[in-house]
Every structure is written in structure tokens, then in C-alpha cells.
Amino acid sequence: MKRFTAFISALALSLIAAPEALAAEQPKVIRIGVATVGTGNRPVFGGAVTSLVNVKGLLEQEFRAEGIKVEWNFFKGAGPAVNEAIANKLLDFAWQGDLPAIIGKAGGLNTKLLLADGTRGTAYVAVPADSPARTLEELKGKKVALFKGTNGQLVAAKVLDQRGLSERDFKSINMDGATTQAAIATKDVDAAWFGYDVYPLVDRGIARIVYSTRGQPANLSRQTHFLVTGDFEQRYPHIVQRVVNTLVREAAWASDDRNREQVLQQWAKSGVPYTAFKQDYEGTPLKVRLSPLFDDFFTTHYKDAVALSKKYRLIRGEVDVDSWLEPKYQREAVRQLKLDGYWAEFDAKGGVKKPASLASYQAP
């Protein structure tokens, strides 16, 4: 009888303590890394759903009731700097490009990709406006700026390879985005690789575009994603689901063409002008560029990126893309938000495999 009474007492205590134990499993802070910074180092960026979630404070709203702080960290050093922060256990989530994430994974970083966020980005090569160069071939032997270790490096390698060229044909100089813009303006370099940040220079008559991946095969585009560290995902899967739900909900809103102008205006808060985003995204549905899905195009691109990273000796270790992707959270978010069929699914070459069946998003 005494043993039975002791058992009941212990059970009662465990039930009383359970809510406290569950509460203890909530993180005090959610730390998010972003592989870029806004103009003048402002903590705002553009070109992604994550940037909209940041500028609107949506994750802060989601976790305010529990007192969970959301901490945003912006890295001028882009993807490589994000990798260093993950290695030092300073981040829980991150937005970055394909190549730096692949380099990190191959180097042993414990991460899981949660969703696509900013796919099919255009790459540009620009020269000073008065340069006589008109083609990539005319830049052979010239000083060309490239932010190495970023998704731009992988695109550059593929473009050059396609044209029978390589980085060795140029005097390649590693520069971050802000330094590159200044170097083009002062003519300290003969050319540079850019993303949408090329347009402010073009619009001011400082630079001229001599090459663009616009209209080229989809595999020559730049890809970015949102990931979680393995440790955080294992300890707080319920938090991961809520983060992904927030991102997918905002992706649905941003993908609706009725909201296009609002999206571009929000991105312009980064300091990159509205006109730059308008030109870069011209003729491209946001529903394509902002789809969070791991479709055949996304998966194949990352597998090819791993293979090419090994070919170009950017990595040594192996990366199993299939096990690296963790689609269960985005699938559950799509189910909860009733978004099945909202985004088209694309085949390995970027063509439509399964058309979208929902024309617009209705918030539940």
C-alpha cells in the first residue's frame, strides 16, 4: 500500500511538473543569419520572402506571446560568414545561397534545408560605362571582381565553362558587393559580376551590362534557401514548424501578383532602389521566383551544384542532397494553410511539370 501511495504521489508530481518542463523546452531566442546586408550596412535586404518576414516583424509577432526573442544577424561577408557563425553555434536559422551552404555541409556543418527562397536569380557582368568591352571574351586578361564563396561564383564558373573559358582567363579579384560597386565606379576593376544591385550603377550611367543570364537556361540562375541547424531542429521541431508556417504564409502573399508592387516597395527599404528590383524581376512572375517548394528543378539544381563544386575543387567532402533536404515542414505548412496546388512544380530543366491550380491566395 505504501508503494502504491508513493507511486501515485510521484505520478501527480510529474503531471504538475510537465507544463514547466515543456515551457523549459522553448528557446529564449531564435537567431537568424542573413547572408547579405542592405545599402550602408542597414539591417534590411531584398529579393526574398525572408526579407519580407524580417521587415514586417512577422516572426516577432508569432513568438511575442511566449516571450521568445527573434534576433536577426546580417553578414557583409555573405554566405562564408554565415557558415562561420553556424560553425561557432551562433545561429539557429539562415538565409543564404547554394554554394556557401554546400561548402558548409561538405565541411561538416549540421544543417537542414527547409525551403527554397529566392530562386532563378539573374547574374550580370558589367563594365564601366566607357569601357570598350562588349563581350565576356573581350575581358580576357582583365581585372574582374567576383565575390567568391557565394552563389555568384558557381554561376560564373558555369557560364565561363559553357563559353570555353575559366576563371584563370581573367585577373579575378575577390570583392564583396559594396566594394565591387565602388571599384566599378572608380575603374579600379575592368568588370564585375553582379546581381540586381547592378541596376543602380546602370541607371546612374556608371556601368553598362555586357552579359546577363536572363533568357539563358534555368540552370545558370542563382538560387537561395532558408535552412535550420540540425541541433535546433532536433530540439525544437514545433518551433521550426511555426517558423516555416510564417515563411510559407508570407511566400503565398508575396507570390500573388496583386501584391507585386507592395513586395518591390518593401524590398526597396534595403537601400537598393525600387527601380532595380522592377528591372531585375521584369517579365518574371513572383510566383516562380518565390516558390518555397523543393520541386525537381530545385533538387536537381542542388545535386548539380554539388557535382560542379567538386569539379571546380570548391569542396572535397560529400553532400547527400536527398538527406540534406527536410521537406516535411513545408509540406505541413502547405497543408495547414490550404495551399496545395498554389505553386507550380517544375521539372529538372526548369519547365512546368505540374501547373498551379490555385490562382490566388486567400488567407485562412
Side-chain angles (χ1 to χ4, degrees):
M1 185 66 181
K2 289 182 179 180
R3 289 182 178 179
F4 179 74
T5 302
F7 170 76
I8 294 298
S9 298
L11 179 61
L13 286 172
S14 68
L15 291 173
I16 293 171
E20 296 179 3
L22 288 173
E25 281 303 298
Q26 300 276 54
K28 293 181 179 179
V29 62
I30 296 172
R31 304 166 301 173
I32 304 171
V34 176
T36 189
V37 294
T39 302
N41 290 326
R42 67 184 69 182
V44 185
F45 71 114
V49 171
T50 303
S51 59
L52 297 172
V53 169
N54 163 244
V55 77
K56 292 182 179 181
L58 298 182
L59 287 176
E60 287 82 352
Q61 294 174 30
E62 173 68 24
F63 294 104
R64 182 172 294 129
E66 293 99 323
I68 299 174
K69 181 181 177 182
V70 178
E71 180 182 281
W72 294 86
N73 303 274
F74 293 79
F75 294 86
K76 184 180 180 181
V82 168
N83 283 346
E84 184 177 351
I86 292 174
N88 290 323
K89 300 187 181 301
L90 299 175
L91 298 175
D92 305 309
F93 296 91
W95 178 88
Q96 65 178 165
D98 50 13
L99 178 59
I102 288 168
I103 292 173
K105 189 68 173 177
L109 292 186
N110 181 14
T111 58
K112 288 285 188 179
L113 302 192
L114 293 173
L115 44 82
D117 184 17
T119 62
R120 304 193 188 213
T122 303
Y124 305 88
V125 177
V127 298
D130 59 356
S131 168
R134 290 291 186 274
T135 67
L136 288 175
E137 286 73 14
E138 292 176 34
L139 292 170
K140 290 177 67 174
K142 302 294 185 181
K143 293 183 290 185
V144 179
L146 172 66
F147 200 168
K148 296 185 179 182
T150 69
N151 61 1
Q153 182 179 7
L154 198 57
V155 172
K158 288 190 286 186
V159 168
L160 295 177
D161 189 42
Q162 187 185 68
R163 301 169 79 94
L165 300 168
S166 75
E167 196 176 313
R168 292 188 298 273
D169 290 312
F170 309 88
K171 295 177 182 176
S172 185
I173 303 174
N174 184 21
M175 287 186 178
D176 64 43
T179 306
T180 296
Q181 292 189 43
I184 284 287
T186 58
K187 302 179 185 179
D188 287 329
V189 295
D190 300 298
W193 289 85
F194 289 92
Y196 53 70
D197 54 338
V198 72
Y199 282 108
L201 296 175
V202 172
D203 292 344
R204 289 157 54 197
I206 294 172
R208 175 169 45 80
I209 296 170
V210 296
Y211 175 81
S212 157
T213 59
R214 184 188 297 275
Q216 300 294 317
N219 71 318
L220 294 180
S221 57
R222 304 171 68 166
Q223 318 298 323
T224 48
H225 57 259
F226 191 77
L227 61 75
V228 65
T229 65
D231 292 341
F232 191 94
E233 191 259 341
Q234 185 175 17
R235 187 173 182 184
Y236 306 112
H238 57 296
I239 298 295
V240 175
Q241 187 64 65
R242 290 172 63 186
V243 169
V244 171
N245 285 0
T246 301
L247 284 161
V248 171
R249 185 184 298 110
E250 186 63 10
W253 176 85
S255 295
D256 192 327
D257 206 51
R258 295 174 299 181
N259 301 320
R260 187 183 184 92
E261 290 301 303
Q262 293 183 63
V263 170
L264 302 185
Q265 292 288 358
Q266 290 282 6
W267 286 345
K269 293 179 180 179
S270 65
V272 176
Y274 161 84
T275 53
F277 290 112
K278 186 174 182 178
Q279 291 177 86
D280 184 65
Y281 282 78
E282 186 176 4
T284 305
L286 291 182
K287 211 170 189 179
V288 173
R289 296 279 293 270
L290 299 182
S291 169
L293 304 183
F294 289 157
D295 56 17
D296 290 349
F297 172 70
F298 184 90
T299 303
T300 300
H301 174 89
Y302 274 68
K303 289 180 178 180
D304 289 346
V306 169
L308 289 169
S309 296
K310 296 196 74 172
K311 174 184 175 181
Y312 301 136
R313 298 181 180 179
L314 300 174
I315 62 171
R316 293 182 179 179
E318 299 293 332
V319 177
D320 181 357
V321 172
D322 289 326
S323 62
W324 190 21
L325 304 181
E326 183 46 272
K328 68 181 181 182
Y329 296 103
Q330 63 171 256
R331 288 173 180 167
E332 178 60 17
V334 167
R335 186 194 68 79
Q336 289 183 24
L337 298 170
K338 297 178 171 51
L339 287 168
D340 186 45
Y342 181 67
W343 289 282
E345 294 183 27
F346 294 89
D347 62 27
K349 294 184 178 180
V352 176
K353 176 182 178 180
K354 183 180 178 182
S357 56
L358 291 178
S360 60
Y361 171 59
Q362 298 295 329

